Amino acid sequence: MTLHDQRIVLLGGTSGIGLATARLAAEHGATVIVASSNPSSVERALAELPATADGTTVDLTDPAAVEAFFAGLDPFDHLVYTAGEALTLLELRSLDLARARQAFELRYFGALGAIHAAVPKIRSGGSVVLTSGTAADRSGPGWAVAASICGAADSLVRALALELAPIRVNAVKPGIVRTPLWPDGFDYEAAAEALPVGRIGEPEDIAEAYVFLMNQHYATGSIVTVGGGNVLV
């Protein structure tokens, strides 16, 4: 399968998993448009992507800015949402509700608002691919907020797969991945030893799942777990 001559909008596609997905989609023949709230991140991403790529700065927590962004785009085939802030673990005993709401604002409401604005521009046969996380299935102390966001994303995929049909709506559910969003000092080596695959995921591993879902025209309401077996141990 190929993404040749297809246009893909990647929100959060300027670093980590999003940028790896943009690179892989471009290798498959797609024209990619990346967006982020950080101008320097957009600039760095465009330096790594083919000359056909485009990029812009947009605050994904600002509904008016998101609406204006999509209003200015020509029709496209796929929306990919990978935007997120650095992972913050919040224990209940010291819970900061403002920080918890802020996490939901970008990862959940940002995605919901983007889909609302994007749907009129998605061409026939197109899709939406969101980002969940294995914390929804295997959590721990301090993960209540992060796990809740992932669970909300899972439910959103299933609901919108029906509401937006025939547009396909799916999600990728990464496990531990070596990206800047994980906390400084996180012990990747110890985590790798506990995984059945014996290593930590790289952004390129996860990117393959996003491209698969864009190409797989019989998949909707699907959530693809790519976690090295972390939900099993």
Side-chain angles (χ1 to χ4, degrees):
M1 293 185 180
T2 177
L3 296 174
H4 186 67
D5 288 338
Q6 297 191 30
R7 285 165 50 83
I8 303 173
V9 177
L10 299 103
L11 303 183
T14 61
S15 65
I17 292 171
L19 180 55
T21 302
R23 284 196 299 260
L24 185 59
E27 290 173 11
H28 281 250
T31 298
V32 298
I33 302 102
V34 298
S36 167
S37 62
N38 187 331
S40 60
S41 183
V42 173
E43 189 175 326
R44 286 193 301 270
L46 290 178
E48 295 186 30
L49 293 169
T52 55
D54 195 8
T56 191
T57 302
V58 58
D59 181 355
L60 299 176
T61 65
D62 181 345
V66 172
E67 291 280 355
F69 168 70
F70 283 104
L73 290 181
D74 292 331
F76 58 92
D77 299 283
H78 305 284
L79 172 67
V80 176
Y81 196 94
T82 61
E85 72 296 309
L87 179 63
T88 301
L89 300 185
L90 301 171
E91 293 187 355
L92 188 62
R93 61 185 177 184
S94 56
L95 180 62
D96 182 336
L97 278 177
R99 291 179 68 192
R101 290 192 179 100
Q102 185 179 22
F104 264 92
E105 192 66 31
L106 178 59
R107 291 181 179 262
Y108 178 79
F109 290 109
L112 186 61
I115 297 166
H116 168 74
V119 162
K121 293 294 183 79
I122 298 177
R123 292 193 284 225
S124 176
S127 75
V128 174
V129 188
L130 301 181
T131 303
S132 178
T134 56
D137 303 315
R138 186 170 179 79
S139 191
W143 282 84
V145 173
S148 297
I149 294 170
C150 295
D154 289 357
S155 296
L156 182 63
V157 164
R158 290 187 284 267
L160 291 185
L162 296 175
E163 183 172 343
L164 299 183
I167 293 174
R168 296 176 295 108
V169 183
N170 298 292
V172 177
K173 180 177 285 191
I176 302 169
V177 185
R178 201 186 309 273
T179 78
L181 295 186
W182 280 79
D184 290 339
F186 181 80
D187 193 341
Y188 287 110
E189 286 68 27
E193 291 177 2
L195 293 177
V197 297
R199 69 175 179 88
I200 291 299
E202 302 294 340
E204 292 74 17
D205 295 315
I206 316 303
E208 292 180 1
Y210 289 90
V211 170
F212 165 77
L213 287 171
M214 285 185 274
N215 266 323
Q216 175 47 263
H217 293 275
Y218 199 53
T220 194
S222 297
I223 301 165
V224 176
T225 299
V226 190
N230 69 322
V231 298
L232 306 175
V233 295

